[in-house]
Amino acid sequence: YNLTVRSSRRRFMASCYLSASGCCRFGCTSLRRGLTQVLGAMKIDRASIATLLALSTTPLLAYAQEPPQRVSLIQLIAAPEKYEGKLVSLTGYVHLEFEGNGIYLHKDDYQYGLHKNGLWLNASKCESRSKKNFTDGYAYVIGRFTSARQGHMGLWSGELQDVKSCSSWPPFPRGT
């Protein structure tokens, strides 16, 4: 490698940019920009950056192969065969409780026990804007859909397995 980092602070910051999670979150373009900023005015040739990116993008490539498909709950319920086994992202009303985790079209569907208007949610927690866990509210969820399984006692129209993310919706309060 043609890259020498002299200060320990710069070395630490460069390693942060090279970590797999940093690359997955911000992408290769941001990684290159970040390295350039961190290392300051040091001369970094393109070959060094390309080598560093090649070593750190394996998780990014796995994620890039299958981005989540943005769908509605209605699409999943109406045409489950179209989305079987696919990574999907959707919004809905989430309720989490023992043997009752679900994502519904509306809050009323949960309150009136209309489980067929929802999916079993294989998640243990959802995060609010303040990073606290919540059990009831609208949320944005990313997970793998299957209609072959329908949650606890087969009550739902399908299931979201392997949930990657569950966070409150909308991401910002109205008016911001």
Side-chain angles (χ1 to χ4, degrees), residues 42-63:
M42 295 175 68
K43 291 186 178 181
I44 302 172
D45 59 82
R46 290 182 189 266
S48 296
I49 290 176
T51 303
L52 290 171
L53 287 174
L55 292 173
S56 64
T57 58
T58 304
L60 179 65
L61 291 174
Y63 179 75

Side-chain angles (χ1 to χ4, degrees), residues 78-130:
E81 66 283 347
K82 186 175 177 183
Y83 302 100
E84 184 66 38
K86 296 200 174 161
L87 192 63
V88 296
S89 66
L90 62 144
T91 55
Y93 185 81
V94 169
H95 174 76
L96 301 175
E97 71 172 288
F98 180 69
E99 296 181 350
N101 294 351
I103 182 167
Y104 300 87
L105 285 169
H106 304 285
K107 182 178 182 177
D108 288 345
D109 294 325
Y110 158 68
Q111 288 177 331
Y112 293 105
L114 303 175
H115 299 299
K116 289 294 181 185
N117 287 350
L119 302 173
W120 172 262
L121 188 60
N122 197 356
S124 57
K125 66 178 183 169
C126 276
E127 287 187 348
S128 66
R129 288 185 223 39
S130 60

Side-chain angles (χ1 to χ4, degrees), residues 7 13 34 51 59 61 63 72 78-79 81 94 96 98 102 112 131 148-149 153 155-156 159 162 164 166 168 170 173:
S7 83
M13 291 174 72
T51 303
L61 291 174
Y63 179 75
S72 75
E81 66 283 347
V94 169
L96 301 175
F98 180 69
Y112 293 105
K131 300 296 181 201
R149 297 186 58 187
M153 297 180 65
L155 295 173
W156 283 263
E159 188 172 310
D162 192 25
K164 309 275 187 228
C166 184
S168 63

